Amino acid sequence: MKKLLIAGILGTSLFAVSCSTVQKAKDAQNVRSEFLKMKGDWQIVSIDYDKQYKIKPFDEGADAQCFVGSHWRFIPNNYSGSYTLNGGGSCPSVIQAIKVDIKGDTFTFKKIADGTKAKQNTAGYTLTVINNSADQFSLEQNVPFNGSTIRVVYNFERTGMDYTR
């Protein structure tokens, strides 16, 4: 009788673990399918925010308007990518490797310095995906400032699916 009871408990435990594993796999697949929608090359076509403030996104030391026209690439097979600021005028020329994650409408990324691994960098940025379609999407960032929040919206348009660069 004891053996039967132990076998029953063991079987129930294995069933619960396998169901948990299946759910985790489904969740991972959903996250991957969300990221696959953003696969490819994108460009920031405009940035909406209250212009009375000077916004310098993502610790680049560059004005938000320097990001208009920037090129962003998302590569889903390893959740990586990059962004490039074109430079010119008072805008710096920047090429920055990033690691990206998307869960539902939450878009997070962290900058990866040359010669470092993504797991060595724990700091990053969290934005909200809004207005997502096949050829455009927007990312919303709420930046705390003097006890209030400044809403910044980055509007992207697809420029291609080229991975040769």
Side-chain angles (χ1 to χ4, degrees), residues 94-164:
V94 174
I95 299 173
Q96 179 63 59
I98 58 175
K99 267 301 195 191
V100 179
D101 193 20
I102 296 176
K103 289 187 176 124
D105 65 350
T106 302
F107 177 97
T108 58
F109 78 92
K110 56 185 174 179
K111 299 196 281 186
I112 307 301
D114 286 339
T116 63
K117 295 185 184 265
K119 64 183 176 183
Q120 294 171 315
N121 181 2
T122 57
Y125 307 91
T126 301
L127 299 95
T128 302
V129 179
I130 55 176
N131 305 324
N132 193 2
S133 72
D135 292 322
Q136 59 187 4
F137 71 93
S138 298
L139 294 176
E140 177 183 57
Q141 182 180 31
N142 293 307
V143 181
F145 181 75
N146 286 348
S148 63
T149 302
I150 301 170
R151 181 177 181 257
V152 182
V153 177
Y154 306 91
N155 300 301
F156 289 78
E157 284 187 2
R158 182 179 299 280
T159 59
M161 299 284 279
D162 180 19
Y163 291 111
T164 58

Side-chain angles (χ1 to χ4, degrees), residues 6 10 13 42 60 63 67 89 94 114 161:
I6 291 173
L10 184 60
S13 298
W42 299 83
E60 288 298 348
D63 184 80
F67 279 82
V94 174
D114 286 339
M161 299 284 279

Side-chain angles (χ1 to χ4, degrees), residues 78-90:
N78 61 2
Y79 294 91
S80 67
S82 65
Y83 64 81
T84 303
L85 301 182
N86 300 325
S90 62

